[in-house]
Amino acid sequence: MSNFTELTQAFINLDEEKVYGLVQKKIAAGEDPVGIIKECNEGMTEIGKLFEQNEYFLSELIMSGEIFKSIMAKLEPMLGDVQQENEPSKGTVVIGTVKEDIHDIGKDIVVSMLRGTGYEVVDLGVDVPADKFVAAAKETGAKLVGLSCLLNFTFPELKKVVDELDAAGLRDTVKVAIGGAPCNEEVRKFAGADYYAKDAAAAVSICKEIYQ
Amino acid sequence: MPEETRKLYEERLKRYQAAIALAVPDRIPISAGSNYFAEVYAGHTNQEFIYNSNAWSEADARFVHDFPEVDAFRSGRFWGPAHDAVGFNLYKLPGRDLPPRTQFQFVEGERMKADEYHLLINNPVEFLFERYLPRAFSDFQEPGSIRSFMALIKGSTASAMLGGLMKARSQYMQTELGMPQSMGGVFLAPFDYLADGLRGLRGIMLDVRRQPDKVLEACEALIPDIVNAALAIADPLRRYPIFVPLHRGAYPFLAPKQFDEFYWPSLKKVMTMLIDAGYTIRAYLEGNWGPNWHHFRELPKGKVLCDIDIQGNIFKAKEELGGYQCIAGGVPDSTLILGTPDEVRERVKLLCETVGKDGGFIINGGCGIPYDSKPENFRAMINATLEYGRYSDTTKFELQINPNQPAGWQPPKRRIVTPWEVKRKELGGVMGDEEIIKQHWEMFEHMAFNWIFSWLW
């Protein structure tokens, strides 16, 4: 049996009214906002797990983000100078949708899953040219660059990013993973990438492998 | 048309129709719904194809000339000038917002607010004019302005022109090239109207949790308009299937339970009504439909051609849909783009020997043929189908050409904004044959509504 707090459990159940009610009660009782956030964070982590296990789907993931945002909007002004004690990051990942492709749904899921499992994610957004990936990898020292795409005309662009990382002398230290609907092993080989992530859960496993 | 062309046309169409109907044709047909490759094969950029309608017949002729073994095809859905006439903002277009050699792309957005369901459900005309169009047309941001009036006039003129161009194109393909269309007319699943153009993916995902009843009510309410809009542009001779690209029903956008509750019931009703009207349907199961495609067994056999995308397992699809509906697909897009002719040939051989074995199969990429397919790979796909996909010498199947609606069939109630009765009262009655005046009044009312409805995605 799980031993989540009442708030965490309500959050996992995505019971909006109950979550907001409990948060309100805690605020009124003068509880530390950092603690409240921590309880919600635990809910987010559990929801990520449920998503990986196909218990939860996209609507639950989006809903949890929405609830979390509302709570943060309420609590953030109360935080003042209090430093949130962040758990140390497990590692840094640079991620983006490649040039000329503007799709972000899949990428955003991966970003939220990686953040939820403790990685620091540098999200470059969509339509990202190869040199931006290279610059970000250099700047952050990330050991993994994740390339997302939805459209199959982007295969040469995937390869271009890998080639430019190579040209910048980063290929020994930076691994490349690709993901998105048109990707598969054949595309990975063509692009010269190290990994093909078939879904968000696979992306998390790849990070675990690299940053173990 | 010359006898030879007519024969060719009929042979191709018969082969295509037979496969859809689960009869066994002389060989496995070759047909993509969206043949993107055919748009650029003759050397046009994506922009040229989307903006210059003169490029269409040129591209069609060149493609059919070089690949005469194809049995039915259609390419191009967009005409950029029509989008620009109203400032339609649901798509980025090559040459306009994207480099000329890239693919058009859908722009996610919330063009209906979470609290507007009742407006859409109870008074769609008002909702569309007052809420949706100002958000979807950049030239209609201020309804009532000169620019907004111009947008409606320009937009409807453009659509009428496009209708004429598409008709001429289909006629040219038939009489000059002997080539059938792989589909005619289009609709979306009710849920996708909400999830694509109206609420957007993010909005709909919240709605299915926060206001599920409203989502269901809206899906139901959309059904009659969807059916009428689809029939308005479907092939009047019922030769070609009506096209339905299915978007958010793919796994895992929705959990299978959500699919059963929100996506399928209203979609099934729409498809049933179109089948009852004497049509077949070509459904693009975009993405992975593995957990959901078994539902297509609930529809009349041999009426819905299911395109299986590369994320779905076509061998499994055959197991689950074989004997119920024809399936198309099987050649991975990545192999057409990156692979070799030998690899394509091996794949097609395998498909012919397994999923194609007893009919009910059409060779295709995953839902379409990609822009960047290597011509030698497309050629290899065709050659291998001719080599391994033969069943017999002739197609024993009666060609289906039918201008008449089935006896007793009635379309759902057509939407009229200003009823004839109101108009007649204003006129103070009419002096001659009322019926002919009324008919045309209602026809334009209906067409005008369909026109607005057509901009929902």
Side-chain angles (χ1 to χ4, degrees), chain B residues 222-338:
Chain B
L222 284 166
I223 292 173
D225 293 329
I226 294 174
V227 170
N228 281 325
L231 290 174
I233 49 170
D235 175 31
L237 299 179
R238 293 174 172 74
R239 294 164 296 182
Y240 312 135
I242 305 179
F243 176 44
V244 58
L246 296 172
H247 299 149
R248 301 310 183 197
Y251 183 88
F253 282 121
L254 291 173
K257 219 171 71 191
Q258 290 173 323
F259 179 91
D260 293 351
E261 183 180 358
F262 294 104
Y263 200 92
W264 181 252
S266 52
L267 171 61
K268 183 180 172 183
K269 281 185 194 164
V270 172
M271 289 197 289
T272 304
M273 287 162 101
L274 294 173
I275 292 168
D276 285 347
Y279 283 91
T280 55
I281 292 165
R282 182 160 189 166
Y284 266 31
L285 309 188
E286 288 185 38
N288 177 17
W289 276 69
N292 299 327
W293 58 40
H294 64 90
H295 280 290
F296 285 82
R297 293 165 31 164
E298 298 163 24
L299 293 160
K301 284 183 184 179
K303 292 293 182 188
V304 186
L305 165 54
C306 296
D307 274 289
I308 308 299
D309 207 346
I310 47 164
Q311 289 85 27
N313 179 337
I314 193 138
F315 304 100
K316 258 234 102 72
K318 181 70 180 187
E319 268 173 40
E320 293 183 28
L321 290 174
Y324 291 93
Q325 307 296 355
C326 177
I327 59 173
V331 184
D333 297 351
S334 55
T335 306
L336 287 169
I337 298 170
L338 304 171

Side-chain angles (χ1 to χ4, degrees), chain A:
Chain A
M1 275 302 286
S2 59
N3 45 0
F4 295 117
T5 66
E6 193 184 4
L7 174 57
T8 304
Q9 191 58 57
F11 196 99
I12 295 166
N13 296 345
L14 298 167
D15 186 341
E16 260 186 297
E17 274 172 42
K18 190 164 180 195
V19 169
Y20 296 147
L22 285 170
V23 169
Q24 204 54 48
K25 235 162 71 189
K26 281 171 185 278
I27 292 172
E31 271 194 41
D32 181 8
V34 176
I36 303 175
I37 294 171
K38 199 165 168 245
E39 283 183 67
C40 295
N41 254 329
E42 274 166 22
M44 286 290 271
T45 306
E46 182 62 18
I47 284 169
K49 277 187 198 153
L50 292 169
F51 182 77
E52 271 187 61
Q53 294 158 5
N54 290 336
E55 295 284 331
Y56 271 8
F57 286 76
L58 197 53
S59 63
E60 285 79 15
L61 212 55
I62 288 177
M63 189 73 183
S64 66
E66 196 72 10
I67 299 176
F68 195 78
K69 217 169 66 187
S70 306
I71 294 168
M72 285 309 285
K74 201 167 273 175
L75 294 179
E76 232 156 22
M78 302 167 57
L79 287 172
D81 292 332
V82 184
Q83 283 290 317
Q84 276 192 65
E85 40 164 322
N86 284 327
E87 285 187 25
S89 153
K90 290 181 187 163
T92 304
V93 181
V94 168
I95 194 167
T97 303
V98 298
K99 197 175 160 201
E100 285 166 13
D101 194 329
I102 60 164
H103 294 88
D104 57 8
I105 293 165
K107 171 186 69 69
D108 289 351
I109 294 173
V110 172
V111 169
S112 83
M113 294 287 285
L114 291 179
R115 285 188 178 144
T117 37
Y119 294 93
E120 175 151 352
V121 181
V122 179
D123 182 358
L124 300 177
V126 298
D127 190 15
V128 181
D131 56 350
K132 269 187 114 174
F133 282 106
V134 175
K138 239 186 224 165
E139 214 169 279
T140 60
K143 288 189 195 170
L144 179 67
V145 170
L147 308 178
S148 174
C149 65
L150 179 75
L151 302 170
N152 55 36
F153 71 75
T154 58
F155 296 162
E157 190 59 33
L158 300 174
K159 184 168 164 23
K160 191 173 173 203
V161 179
V162 176
D163 290 348
E164 291 202 7
L165 284 168
D166 199 9
L170 293 171
R171 264 317 253 132
D172 294 340
T173 49
V174 178
K175 300 279 186 205
V176 179
I178 63 166
C183 293
N184 55 28
E185 266 304 301
E186 188 175 18
V187 177
R188 182 195 68 74
K189 274 186 209 146
F190 166 80
D194 304 287
Y195 300 93
Y196 153 57
K198 81 168 177 26
D199 54 26
V204 173
S205 308
I206 291 165
C207 285
K208 279 185 187 154
E209 188 186 319
I210 289 173
Y211 280 112
Q212 63 185 337

Side-chain angles (χ1 to χ4, degrees), chain B residues 407-423:
Chain B
W409 182 84
Q410 285 291 324
K413 195 170 178 337
R414 291 184 171 159
R415 204 169 285 280
I416 302 280
V417 179
T418 308
W420 166 245
E421 289 67 31
V422 172
K423 181 72 183 170

